[in-house]
Amino acid sequence: MELIKRRRSVRIFSGKEVSKEDILSIIEAGTWAPTGCNNQELKFLILDKKKEVEEILKFKPFFKGASAFVLVFCDMSLPMSKKMYIEYKYERHLPYIDTGLALQNMILHAKDRGIDSCVFNLSEYHFTRDGKKRNIFQKIINKIKTSLGSHTKMEGNFEYYLRNNLKIPNYLKIMCGVAFGYAKICPNVNKEIHGGKKVMRDKVENYIISKK
Ligand SMILES: Cc1cc2nc3c(=O)[nH]c(=O)nc-3n(C[C@H](O)[C@H](O)[C@H](O)COP(=O)(O)O)c2cc1C
């Protein structure tokens, strides 16, 4: 409980390097999370080279000083993935749950090793590859293109970078990302506000649904 409560989403990192051994151990923790039907469909991409980190920072500039990014993918080519996530559409939410479970293992194990993190989504919404913020018009266009699946053809987009520059095949569905590093500034849970809401959690009683 102490470890769970001590972990914070860190957005300003010190620049100190997280070792490859630590990153592999963190990913190993992710692989030991439960997966629906034991599909073990998650794959992990380590982006820790200076150039790779710089590329991600263009899309997520607030992670300055992070040492490595790990992206989580769902392998849609596995027989069970094809069956459950494509054929039986009612199971298609499972990889999202599996990703969440893996990520939580990873960020807690990282914190246990003194390493800070921040989970981030990989939407094409806010920034382009040149590090520029999209205006409202560009955001609308991008939303339409993303919903049509044609965003992967737009050079400024994150998925374009993954598919074309890093050659990540299409059968690996992008799920989520996580930044790792050592905090320069660790958010104060008593003061931090994110998404218009205090990061400090309410009393547990207030999360329980009362039965009539
Ligand atoms: C799926 C997911 C996506 C997130 N995406 C972002 C993000 O894009 N940028 C960011 O700064 N924080 C992101 N966060 C971190 C949340 O803002 C953070 O977990 C929340 O404010 C609670 O703070 P805590 O993690 O310190 O308890 C994300 C968290 C999750 C679980």
Side-chain angles (χ1 to χ4, degrees):
M1 187 59 100
E2 186 276 326
L3 177 71
I4 289 170
K5 290 189 179 179
R6 187 157 45 87
R7 181 211 57 81
R8 289 276 67 73
S9 290
V10 166
R11 299 176 186 87
I12 302 170
F13 295 91
S14 67
K16 185 180 161 193
E17 194 186 318
V18 177
S19 73
K20 195 67 161 224
E21 188 203 338
D22 276 328
I23 294 291
L24 287 177
S25 180
I26 288 166
I27 292 173
E28 188 183 1
T31 67
W32 278 97
T35 55
C37 283
N38 189 30
N39 194 22
Q40 298 187 31
E41 76 283 18
L42 302 180
K43 295 277 183 286
F44 304 85
L45 177 70
I46 303 169
L47 299 173
D48 60 352
K49 296 203 175 72
K50 196 170 175 272
K51 240 186 140 199
E52 295 166 343
V53 169
E54 277 169 4
E55 282 294 341
I56 304 296
L57 285 176
K58 290 180 190 166
F59 295 102
K60 297 277 169 187
F62 40 85
F63 289 140
K64 221 171 156 224
S67 167
F69 296 95
V70 175
L71 307 187
V72 184
F73 295 82
C74 170
D75 187 343
M76 298 297 275
S77 71
L78 300 177
M80 193 69 99
S81 301
K82 284 184 188 160
K83 207 168 174 181
M84 290 199 305
Y85 316 146
I86 299 169
E87 204 181 317
Y88 308 155
K89 286 207 167 85
Y90 50 86
E91 303 279 30
R92 67 182 167 198
H93 59 289
L94 290 184
Y96 297 96
I97 298 173
D98 296 344
T99 301
L101 290 165
L103 286 172
Q104 187 67 357
N105 268 14
M106 291 162 72
I107 62 180
L108 285 179
H109 181 55
K111 190 69 193 170
D112 193 40
R113 290 188 160 218
I115 298 159
D116 295 294
S117 63
C118 187
V119 173
F120 58 92
N121 60 45
L122 299 170
S123 75
E124 304 284 16
Y125 199 55
H126 298 291
F127 291 91
T128 61
R129 198 172 167 203
D130 55 12
K132 287 197 182 129
K133 251 190 159 168
R134 294 185 201 279
N135 62 37
I136 188 71
F137 179 68
Q138 289 167 323
K139 282 183 182 179
I140 293 167
I141 297 285
N142 214 43
K143 267 207 161 175
I144 296 167
K145 293 215 167 186
T146 304
S147 66
L148 295 172
S150 57
H151 60 293
T152 53
K153 295 182 183 70
M154 292 166 73
E155 259 190 62
N157 277 5
F158 186 70
E159 197 167 343
Y160 181 96
Y161 166 66
L162 288 182
R163 305 287 181 213
N164 296 280
N165 296 70
L166 299 183
K167 310 283 180 215
I168 305 298
N170 283 330
Y171 67 81
L172 293 178
K173 181 178 156 73
I174 306 167
M175 303 302 292
C176 207
V178 50
F180 291 106
Y182 294 91
K184 184 171 183 187
I185 299 172
C186 191
N188 179 337
V189 73
N190 294 307
K191 293 187 183 157
E192 184 81 355
I193 291 181
H194 206 83
K197 203 174 182 174
K198 282 182 185 165
V199 165
M200 176 56 99
R201 307 319 196 252
D202 212 340
K203 278 197 245 137
V204 64
E205 292 77 13
N206 294 336
Y207 293 90
I208 311 289
I209 298 169
S210 60
K211 286 176 268 182
K212 295 276 178 301

